[in-house]
Amino acid sequence: MSPRPADTLTPAAPSVRSGTTCNETGTEATRDANVSVTRAPHESGIRIPGATSGLGESMTHVQALSGAASAGQWTGVRRGLRRELQRLRLSWAAGIDTASPVTVALVATAILSAFFVLLPGVDLAVTQIFFDAERGFVAASDPSLKALRKSSTWVMGLVLLGLIIVAVRGGWTRRHEARKALFLIGGLALASGLVVNAVFKASWGRARPIQIETFGGEAEFTRAWAIADQCASNCSFVSGEASSAAWIAAAAVVMTPQPWRAVLIPVAFAYAAALSFNRLLFGGHFLSDIVLSWAITALVLCLLHRLMLHCPVTARRARRRRRTRQEPAPALS
């Protein structure tokens, strides 16, 4: 039998050298590129000296990625703040137009406030219409009026849910619709939540009609805008439910498509008015509470609309005009 050639002999099993490294397939590679051995499992208790170098590099890479993500988040926050400051600056620089919705809402609030301050008896006279000396506010026990009041919770919830869906979907598809939805969501939180409920109802201390002496209660009557101590919490000035109803009407105005506006907007306003003046029949609010709640809510929404929707459009138009002026005239041949 002839001997086998030297290059076909099976090599001896390689010994594990110090300084081996761990590659991605879980094998330890020695300095000889042609030789590799299987890494010992952790349960064996064998600790490979070179295995920690790759782990350190991986941790450094992860930390670098985390730092880059944090820097990107802060960059986005700074850009957002700059955009909001730009909107405020544009709104201030644009001034107040006498025909703008902000001006109309401000003037209406001032006129209505002066009317109810100078003629406080109007509140008592209107409330007296729905009060019976023997039975009190009879309409408060009417099942249909109770159902109308309860329906506002469901309607508001559905409208708010729809706006959230539009805001989320519009972030990728229809950005203008998303911005309008965000405006209405912010308007509900700011107008009805903060201004009406947290500021006025919690601080003015005006007793409700059913709480004053004229209508069977023990508190004293106070006129609109007069800060009093006749009510401790959840007081009469101004109406929170009327503010929410005004917001529903505003949502119909802003979000209803053009083919449906002639039908849905009048229906929304009629429903909002019914919800608001239903509080008169229950003895829960005076007329001034309801009317001024609508005016204050409209004023806050108009201001927010100016900052979130009107000013960005104005800024884009101004930038287009500047670019048009800066473009050089075409050369004549």
Side-chain angles (χ1 to χ4, degrees):
M1 179 180 289
S2 58
R4 297 168 63 184
D7 56 353
T8 61
L9 295 177
T10 303
S15 59
V16 179
R17 305 176 186 178
S18 62
T20 57
T21 59
C22 183
N23 57 24
E24 294 179 356
T25 60
T27 61
E28 293 176 356
T30 64
R31 293 184 179 87
D32 190 351
N34 296 323
V35 181
S36 64
V37 294
T38 303
R39 180 174 57 186
H42 295 291
E43 291 78 9
S44 64
I46 299 175
R47 183 175 182 269
I48 306 303
T52 57
S53 60
L55 179 60
E57 293 175 358
S58 300
M59 292 301 295
T60 303
H61 182 62
V62 171
Q63 292 174 358
L65 290 177
S66 302
S70 300
Q73 291 176 355
W74 280 111
T75 302
V77 171
R78 287 195 294 268
R79 289 176 180 173
L81 290 175
R82 283 199 296 268
R83 285 196 298 267
E84 297 303 324
L85 290 174
Q86 179 73 359
R87 288 171 187 158
L88 289 172
R89 187 186 67 80
L90 287 171
S91 180
W92 180 264
I96 297 179
D97 187 5
T98 54
S100 70
V102 176
T103 305
V104 174
L106 182 61
V107 172
T109 304
I111 293 175
L112 292 171
S113 298
F115 174 81
F116 286 108
V117 168
L118 296 175
L119 301 172
V122 173
D123 278 332
L124 294 173
V126 173
T127 304
Q128 187 68 49
I129 298 174
F130 310 103
F131 178 75
D132 184 86
E134 297 180 357
R135 296 181 296 170
F137 291 95
V138 181
S141 59
D142 189 290
S144 60
L145 295 178
K146 288 183 177 180
L148 174 64
R149 187 184 181 191
K150 290 181 179 179
S151 68
S152 63
T153 303
W154 293 97
V155 173
M156 275 193 60
L158 291 174
V159 172
L160 187 59
L161 179 61
L163 291 174
I164 293 174
I165 294 174
V166 171
V168 173
R169 293 182 59 185
W172 294 276
T173 56
R174 304 177 66 182
R175 294 185 179 275
H176 184 62
E177 295 297 318
R179 186 172 291 278
K180 291 196 295 184
L182 289 174
F183 151 70
L184 288 169
I185 295 171
L188 178 64
L190 184 61
S192 300
L194 179 62
V195 175
V196 171
N197 285 285
V199 175
F200 286 107
K201 289 178 69 68
S203 304
W204 251 249
R206 187 187 197 187
R208 297 176 182 272
I210 200 170
Q211 296 173 331
I212 67 171
E213 295 177 350
T214 308
F215 304 112
E218 299 179 353
E220 295 181 2
F221 169 76
T222 54
R223 68 181 68 195
W225 290 109
I227 299 178
D229 57 355
Q230 300 300 308
C231 174
S233 62
N234 194 23
C235 302
S236 185
F237 188 82
V238 286
S239 174
E241 293 183 41
S243 177
S244 300
W247 177 82
I248 293 174
V253 172
V254 174
M255 301 301 295
T256 302
Q258 186 62 40
W260 297 92
R261 295 179 69 86
V263 176
L264 290 184
I265 291 179
V267 170
F269 270 87
Y271 177 72
L275 287 177
S276 300
F277 291 101
N278 193 32
R279 304 300 293 138
L280 274 175
L281 279 65
F282 279 60
H285 285 286
F286 293 104
L287 178 63
S288 59
D289 297 330
I290 297 168
V291 174
L292 290 177
S293 179
W294 273 66
I296 292 170
T297 302
L299 177 59
V300 175
L301 290 177
C302 288
L303 287 170
L304 194 62
H305 182 277
R306 182 179 180 86
L307 293 177
M308 293 186 66
L309 298 178
H310 176 73
C311 285
V313 174
T314 304
R316 286 195 296 270
R317 291 174 180 172
R319 283 195 295 267
R320 293 193 191 102
R321 287 194 295 268
R322 286 197 300 268
R323 290 169 185 169
T324 302
R325 288 194 297 265
Q326 292 173 0
E327 289 179 355
L332 299 177
S333 57

